[in-house]
Amino acid sequence: MREIIEEFLNDRLEEKLEPVKKKLAKEGLSESERNDLSAEADTLRQKFSPAAWLNDAAKRAAHIKRVTHVLKMSHPDAKGSS
């Protein structure tokens, strides 16, 4: 299970780091721009570490709602919410 989570997080991290890496590869960046991009990359790496990501995901899970009888699935024109 740990390997699956780490693989998922690495994939997501690479997606987020790709634009930063492209910007860093550009020539003509000032030292402060390079430092800012490096700091952004470090922040993303910290955010997608397993402990930090799972803690944040647990907080987001509180927003998930479950229903037993979904009104709109049984009657698309029904007025109301689940």
Side-chain angles (χ1 to χ4, degrees):
M1 180 85 139
R2 179 181 297 241
E3 290 174 12
I4 294 169
I5 292 171
E6 287 176 356
E7 183 179 335
F8 170 76
L9 292 177
N10 285 333
D11 290 345
R12 296 285 296 150
L13 175 61
E14 285 303 315
E15 287 176 21
K16 301 288 185 178
L17 282 177
E18 189 174 328
V20 176
K21 288 179 181 179
K22 285 182 181 179
K23 289 177 187 175
L24 276 171
K26 289 182 181 178
E27 293 187 23
L29 290 176
S30 69
E31 190 65 31
S32 67
E33 289 172 321
R34 286 194 179 283
N35 289 340
D36 290 345
L37 289 170
S38 293
E40 183 179 344
D42 290 342
T43 301
L44 285 170
R45 286 185 187 97
Q46 289 174 357
K47 182 179 176 182
F48 283 93
S49 70
W53 189 87
L54 286 172
N55 188 31
D56 188 47
K59 291 176 186 174
R60 291 190 312 261
H63 298 285
I64 296 174
K65 305 253 192 270
R66 293 184 295 162
V67 295
T68 57
H69 297 81
V70 182
L71 180 65
K72 294 288 183 174
M73 288 182 71
S74 55
H75 302 288
D77 293 331
K79 305 288 186 218
S81 66
S82 298

